[in-house]
Amino acid sequence: MVSITKDIDKEEVIAQFWPQISRAASGYESRPALSDELAQEMALSVWRSLEGFNDQCSLNTYIYRVIHNTAIDHIRRHSRISEDELDEATLCESPTPEKSALQAQRQHQLIIAVNKLPLSLRQVMLLKLEDLNNIEMSEVLGISEANVGVRLHRAKEQLSTLLAGMN
Amino acid sequence: MNLNNCHPFWQSTEKKPQPHMDQLLKRHKRQSAILKFNVCFEALAILSVCYLLVWAYIDGKGLLELVWIGFVTFWAIAIFVLTVKSRLDSLNQLKSENISTSLEVHKKLLRNEIYRWTLYAKGTWIFILGFGLFNLSICYSDVCQINNFALEGGLLLGLLASIAFYIFRNRKAKEVLKTLEQ
């Protein structure tokens, strides 16, 4: 049993996983204010669930599982209404230097396209974007590797179509 | 964009500032306190209605009024008990460690939520029915006043609006549950 109980250790874990947490939040929630709130909820859930961590899987898998279930909880509570209008607003934001503006614009497009995927496909795509392999994804989501493969294939197809539609 | 190798591109997105965990924990505690306060407030409202019923009985009110207050008391207690039961179940699920790791817990929470919205909508319809019957019996046994009609019409509109809201939330919760089950 290697549960993490000390606050200082928990802070360390949160700091280590914060980039993944904030990216997952923007992948699940395109509205900026709610995305920040979701990221905070995810950090809080990770903090609270660290004491329950034991050797059943790697810390990485465990934290991704917590993050993605918190996102589902968020979706449960904030049913999404007329997101398309907000998406358009987000797309118009662009920083000044041309190159970074283009990069930021493409990143925004990717975030919005990921947000438009159905939940089951979005989950695998977000994990893929975090560079998890199929075995890790199946552990995080509690589904078979074959199912992960099928979902990932569909997610890529849909994402390509969505991104092509944006260009 | 090559989706097989775009993880570095995804991971290079702008980083958000990390939150202060102590502030987040404080906020979480505050939310729990608000939830408990709401339950206490509703319990007090129920006690007040019960007191009203007893007081009306002691004061020797007419049978019609006693039946109406009795109906409201019984209605409020029934809704309160059923809601608290469902809420307690949800709170237990929320407190459990499984909330962060199991999809089933989320489905259970959604089913509880759907149950509560359905309960509120049906409960409000029953209240409207009782309210209508009470008014009809007053009209038959006493004099109908126009002023009361305006007030009661407003109340009825408010109740109908709340039913529309409950149905809307119920439908939204069902949509999310359907998505999760997919």
Side-chain angles (χ1 to χ4, degrees), chain A residues 20 61 81 128 164:
Chain A
Q20 287 92 321
T61 304
I81 314 152
K128 180 71 187 167

Side-chain angles (χ1 to χ4, degrees), chain B residues 18 24 46 55 61 83 87 89 94 96 98 111-112 117 119 137 141 152 167 182:
Chain B
Q18 197 185 320
L24 274 184
I46 296 289
W55 179 79
K61 295 273 180 192
T83 306
R87 269 186 195 155
D89 185 51
L94 284 168
S96 74
N98 291 336
R111 285 190 197 106
N112 277 348
W117 291 125
L119 177 75
S137 47
S141 62
E152 285 163 9
I167 291 171
Q182 277 169 355

Side-chain angles (χ1 to χ4, degrees), chain B residues 59-71:
Chain B
D59 203 39
K61 295 273 180 192
L63 180 68
L64 202 61
E65 274 181 83
L66 273 178
V67 169
W68 168 240
I69 297 172
F71 163 74

Side-chain angles (χ1 to χ4, degrees), chain A residues 7-165:
Chain A
D7 282 3
I8 192 158
D9 295 336
K10 289 181 183 176
E11 287 268 13
E12 211 171 280
V13 173
I14 299 288
Q16 187 191 337
F17 282 89
W18 178 246
Q20 287 92 321
I21 290 174
S22 61
R23 284 195 295 270
S26 56
Y28 277 107
E29 179 58 81
S30 61
R31 292 167 285 190
L34 285 178
S35 173
D36 289 348
E37 197 186 304
L38 175 58
Q40 292 184 3
E41 276 175 40
M42 285 172 169
L44 189 64
S45 294
V46 170
W47 178 283
R48 291 176 66 205
S49 55
L50 280 173
E51 282 180 34
F53 171 68
N54 53 38
D55 289 331
Q56 80 268 42
C57 59
S58 69
L59 181 64
N60 204 37
T61 304
Y62 186 76
I63 287 179
Y64 275 117
R65 202 181 289 166
V66 174
I67 290 172
H68 286 264
N69 277 293
T70 309
I72 291 166
D73 191 39
H74 175 84
I75 292 168
R76 183 175 61 77
R77 285 182 287 115
H78 300 89
S79 306
R80 306 199 295 169
I81 314 152
S82 65
E83 252 188 26
D84 290 345
E85 292 166 29
L86 292 150
D87 291 348
E88 293 303 323
T90 320
L91 261 176
C92 295
E93 293 169 13
S94 59
T96 41
E98 216 172 77
K99 203 176 173 183
S100 67
L102 188 67
Q103 163 123 349
Q105 181 88 349
R106 289 181 69 197
Q107 281 171 336
H108 271 307
Q109 286 180 337
L110 181 60
I111 290 170
I112 290 160
V114 168
N115 262 274
K116 285 184 173 171
L117 288 174
L119 182 65
S120 58
L121 305 186
R122 205 185 323 167
Q123 284 183 313
V124 285
M125 200 62 228
L126 283 169
L127 291 170
K128 180 71 187 167
L129 289 167
E130 291 297 339
D131 209 18
L132 266 72
N133 61 38
N134 286 18
I135 301 168
E136 289 169 320
M137 281 191 245
S138 72
E139 282 175 3
V140 170
L141 301 173
I143 55 176
S144 69
E145 268 183 74
N147 202 341
V148 168
V150 172
R151 284 193 195 188
L152 201 54
H153 179 70
R154 284 184 193 160
K156 280 178 189 170
E157 271 183 355
Q158 287 200 24
L159 197 59
S160 298
T161 314
L162 284 165
L163 286 168

Side-chain angles (χ1 to χ4, degrees), chain B residues 16-123:
Chain B
K16 292 173 185 171
Q18 197 185 320
H20 296 285
M21 288 313 295
D22 51 342
Q23 285 173 7
L24 274 184
L25 290 164
K26 265 184 203 165
R27 198 176 75 176
H28 177 73
K29 278 181 188 164
R30 200 164 50 235
Q31 282 168 347
S32 299
I34 290 170
L35 190 74
K36 282 171 193 160
F37 172 78
N38 280 343
V39 173
C40 293
F41 180 77
E42 285 165 13
L44 269 176
I46 296 289
L47 282 175
S48 310
V49 180
C50 291
Y51 171 77
L52 199 69
L53 177 66
V54 174
W55 179 79
Y57 179 74
I58 294 168
D59 203 39
K61 295 273 180 192
L63 180 68
L64 202 61
E65 274 181 83
L66 273 178
V67 169
W68 168 240
I69 297 172
F71 163 74
V72 173
T73 310
F74 175 76
W75 174 85
I77 290 172
I79 298 279
F80 180 73
V81 169
L82 292 171
T83 306
V84 165
K85 212 177 142 198
S86 164
R87 269 186 195 155
L88 280 176
D89 185 51
S90 294
L91 271 175
N92 285 335
Q93 304 283 349
L94 284 168
K95 274 185 184 174
S96 74
E97 285 168 5
N98 291 336
I99 184 71
S100 306
T101 52
S102 164
L103 198 62
E104 281 310 309
V105 176
H106 293 283
K107 287 184 193 168
K108 173 87 177 145
L109 287 173
L110 269 171
R111 285 190 197 106
N112 277 348
E113 195 181 322
I114 290 167
Y115 166 78
R116 286 199 295 271
W117 291 125
T118 312
L119 177 75
Y120 295 153
K122 285 182 180 167

